[in-house]
Amino acid sequence: MLTHVTNTIECIEAGAPVDLVFQSIGGTEATNSSFGFNLNTLAEAQDAALSLKRGTVGNNVMYFETGQGSSLSANAHHGLDQQTCEARAYAVARKFNPLLVNTVVGFIGPEYLFDGKEITRAGLEDHFCGKLLGIPMGCDVCYTNHAEADQNDMDNLLTLLGVAGCSFVMGIPGSDDIMLNYQTTSFHDALYVRRVLGSKPAPEFEAWLSKMKIMQNTQDIILANTIPEAFAKPLNAIAGGELMASNPKTLNANTDHKSNGKVVHNPWSDLRRFTDARIGLGRAGISLPTSEMLAFQLSHAQARDAVGFALNINEMSCRLSDLNPAAPVLHLRSQAVDRTTYLQRPDLGRKLNQSSRTALANFMTEQKQHTESKYDLAIVVADGLSSLAVQQNTQPFISELLEQLGESQQLKLAPITLVEQGRVAIGDDIGELLNAQIVMVLIGERPGLSSPDSLGLYLTWAPKAGLSDACRNCISNIRPAGLSFEEAARRTVYLLREAKKLKLTGVNLKDRTQDDVIEHQQPNTNFLIAK
């Protein structure tokens, strides 16, 4: 699972059958510290995984992901260029004899790799350095919707990497990662590269594909609209036994195909009602049907529009005022003067401009005439990369959160602050100036093709300027079609309670709200902050 290495160590200690330990890594000690681990942590995780003795072909139990810009993003690059920091990350990886190392080349955004040309250059640089250092290197050929890039750029880079002998790329349904809100390569793309370059799957993978009746002779999909027998039973369980029984007439014709003049039902399309993932797309040769390509391009255009959509400040101020009538909503701005600057200079989006700092200082001076007590919680609402997410989801979420906290908790709430062109870390500035025990930042996450309205939440104990992301807890994808307001509030209340108890947030504060579910017990909904 793509989870923090400390979570995986806990899983192993609990007896989970872990085969592969994941962690994102950087090329400087400060970068890895900002991720919440060090080399000793990785060594502990490697030893724990090896102790399970699950390997059948070797002892390669580590999987690392890297990416240019991670050290710069964490302000941990020490003045070095991005490629040098990236190559150093490969040296870290090599120390632990990994099974896989994957550079997620365009994952972070235009502040580090601005457009398709820079992503292409970085992908080839990373591939070269990985080969030079002798690690099992692959590349996630990808881009985000706030970068100046599109799927055409990724097709070009994919082809170049194939010619250069890249070991592996990602396979995501329809190239659309619905969890992390970015675009990468699809299973169709892997077929294309093999066909054009005469490549074959790794021998073990080739044997598995044949055994599972997915592919034949490594080139052609067997019965493209038939679900392999090995998959049918678990998929039927997901679909409630309806997978093979659906009436083709009720389905979108685009999910079926014609054979000898007759429409043949594609049973994969039945599963589309359970997920936003682009599954059951069909194919034209080894590529996508034109209708699916057009749908992808439309979604990309809509996500791009969401990035530039401005937050309606007056409307949001009115909505937020109703949540905390006893205090004004404070309108603040970061040091990023406009949207273009915000996208290219995240460091400016993490700091308040001088007029906003002065306004907060004046407010606190006025408040001290009435009380010296400290605020328990400061709520910061920042537009982030999707003002649509903030506009639609912030008010109903905060309402649900305050209801679950309840009046009995006697929580002293700071004035809600509404920030334009803000990044997550701007909450550190605001929380410190407001003298708040905990700061909660609600921010629009980067829009994905299927989720332009995803709201993120970050909790930080004892906020102050200079904290790293290892000091925060995150709850992601808060929206009606994702994590419900009720469930997100339940988890937030739990984390607030534990943060007050332990006097910390971040890597060392684990979300245990699902532990009882894992133990097959009824979930405990009584998560309230201790008085």
Side-chain angles (χ1 to χ4, degrees):
M1 293 185 295
L2 299 185
T3 187
H4 197 270
V5 64
T6 56
N7 294 337
T8 306
I9 291 173
E10 285 198 19
C11 288
I12 294 173
E13 290 174 345
V18 174
D19 293 305
L20 199 59
V21 175
F22 168 83
Q23 181 58 46
S24 297
I25 61 173
T28 69
E29 184 178 2
T31 304
N32 292 328
S33 294
S34 75
F35 291 167
F37 74 92
N38 55 33
L39 299 190
N40 290 334
T41 316
L42 296 181
E44 180 184 353
Q46 183 183 35
D47 290 344
L50 289 173
S51 72
L52 299 179
K53 294 181 169 56
R54 293 182 55 80
T56 57
V57 185
N59 293 313
N60 309 94
V61 296
M62 307 298 284
Y63 168 33
F64 298 118
E65 287 192 350
T66 68
Q68 289 194 33
S70 57
S71 293
L72 181 58
S73 175
N75 194 29
H77 59 299
H78 306 296
L80 297 174
D81 65 276
Q82 292 187 161
Q83 183 55 38
T84 298
C85 290
E86 178 72 1
R88 287 170 57 92
Y90 303 158
V92 171
R94 187 171 63 175
K95 175 180 173 63
F96 297 98
N97 196 24
L99 177 71
L100 300 169
V101 180
N102 179 37
T103 170
V104 193
V105 65
F107 181 77
I108 301 182
E111 56 266 46
Y112 309 110
L113 297 173
F114 177 72
D115 58 15
K117 288 185 177 180
E118 291 195 0
I119 293 172
T120 298
R121 186 211 72 228
L124 295 174
E125 287 175 346
D126 294 355
H127 170 69
F128 171 79
C129 289
K131 291 289 189 184
L132 194 66
L133 285 165
I135 57 174
M137 184 78 174
C139 183
D140 188 348
V141 181
C142 63
Y143 64 104
T144 63
N145 291 313
H146 60 306
E148 299 298 319
D150 60 24
Q151 208 67 29
N152 294 323
D153 297 307
M154 299 307 104
D155 289 345
N156 292 337
L157 177 54
L158 172 66
T159 304
L160 289 169
L161 286 169
V163 172
C166 187
S167 299
F168 67 88
V169 294
M170 293 293 103
I172 302 292
S175 306
D176 178 11
D177 190 320
I178 63 170
M179 179 179 72
L180 298 173
N181 293 347
Y182 77 119
Q183 288 76 248
T184 178
T185 44
S186 72
F187 308 110
H188 298 77
D189 293 321
L191 288 172
Y192 150 74
V193 172
R194 291 189 190 126
R195 178 70 61 86
V196 169
L197 300 179
S199 302
K200 297 177 67 175
E204 297 86 355
F205 187 38
E206 182 178 11
W208 182 84
L209 289 169
S210 178
K211 177 183 177 182
M212 302 302 289
K213 298 181 180 180
I214 297 173
M215 297 180 70
Q216 187 176 41
N217 300 325
T218 74
Q219 294 294 337
D220 300 312
I221 300 178
I222 297 178
L223 301 174
N225 293 328
T226 300
I227 295 179
E229 183 179 346
F231 297 158
K233 184 176 180 180
L235 290 177
N236 259 310
I238 294 173
E242 302 173 359
L243 188 58
M244 312 302 293
S246 296
N247 182 354
K249 294 181 180 179
T250 65
L251 297 170
N252 187 332
N254 290 334
T255 64
D256 300 336
H257 77 291
K258 286 188 176 181
S259 176
N260 297 324
K262 297 180 180 179
V263 175
V264 179
H265 173 51
N266 178 1
W268 285 107
S269 63
D270 296 352
L271 290 169
R272 295 186 77 165
R273 66 183 187 273
F274 296 101
T275 177
D276 288 329
R278 293 172 187 264
I279 62 173
L281 302 183
R283 62 191 178 98
I286 56 171
S287 191
L288 289 172
T290 301
S291 60
E292 294 295 346
M293 278 301 302
L294 292 175
F296 183 97
Q297 291 171 353
L298 175 60
S299 295
H300 179 240
Q302 291 171 334
R304 292 277 294 164
D305 287 346
V307 172
F309 187 72
L311 184 66
N312 189 326
I313 296 297
N314 292 333
E315 180 183 339
M316 279 304 302
S317 294
C318 292
R319 289 185 183 182
L320 296 175
S321 295
D322 294 338
L323 298 172
N324 189 20
V329 173
L330 303 179
H331 178 205
L332 309 174
R333 292 191 65 99
S334 75
Q335 293 180 11
V337 295
D338 54 35
R339 199 61 171 169
T340 300
T341 303
Y342 173 80
L343 293 176
Q344 297 181 39
R345 290 290 305 275
D347 56 319
L348 299 180
R350 295 168 184 151
K351 301 175 183 176
L352 288 171
N353 64 17
Q354 189 54 53
S355 61
S356 294
R357 294 186 65 88
T358 301
L360 273 186
N362 291 340
F363 173 82
M364 290 302 291
T365 298
E366 180 182 337
Q367 289 299 108
K368 285 181 180 179
Q369 298 176 6
H370 306 287
T371 177
E372 290 290 333
S373 63
K374 193 172 188 175
Y375 289 117
D376 295 303
L377 176 65
I379 298 177
V380 177
V381 179
D383 49 7
L385 289 170
S386 174
S387 61
L388 178 66
V390 174
Q391 206 88 34
Q392 292 183 350
N393 301 321
T394 298
Q395 187 269 338
F397 167 73
I398 297 177
S399 295
E400 178 64 33
L401 175 64
L402 295 179
E403 183 177 340
Q404 289 197 27
L405 286 170
E407 295 180 2
S408 62
Q409 301 310 305
Q410 299 179 343
L411 196 69
K412 187 175 183 184
L413 191 65
I416 297 175
T417 53
L418 182 59
V419 186
E420 287 189 85
Q421 314 295 3
R423 300 270 179 170
V424 171
I426 204 165
D428 298 340
D429 255 7
I430 297 171
E432 185 174 22
L433 288 169
L434 288 174
N435 194 28
Q437 195 172 55
I438 304 175
V439 66
M440 180 178 75
V441 177
L442 296 169
I443 191 167
E445 298 178 323
R446 63 189 188 191
L449 300 192
S450 59
S451 53
D453 59 342
S454 182
L455 185 71
L457 179 154
Y458 294 81
L459 288 175
T460 308
W461 173 266
K464 62 180 180 179
L467 294 179
S468 74
D469 287 340
C471 300
R472 315 187 202 287
N473 287 90
C474 174
I475 299 174
S476 185
N477 196 30
I478 303 171
R479 60 193 184 103
L483 189 68
S484 69
F485 301 134
E486 181 181 5
E487 177 62 17
R490 186 175 78 89
R491 295 188 184 192
T492 303
V493 171
Y494 171 84
L495 290 173
L496 287 170
R497 184 195 74 186
E498 293 300 301
K500 288 176 68 71
K501 182 191 303 183
L502 301 174
K503 300 191 183 307
L504 58 82
T505 51
V507 174
N508 292 320
L509 174 56
K510 304 299 184 185
D511 180 355
R512 308 283 185 194
T513 57
Q514 297 299 300
D515 283 7
D516 45 9
V517 177
I518 294 171
E519 296 291 335
H520 305 292
Q521 299 173 6
Q522 290 297 316
N524 177 11
T525 58
N526 187 26
F527 293 116
L528 295 175
I529 296 177
K531 293 182 180 179

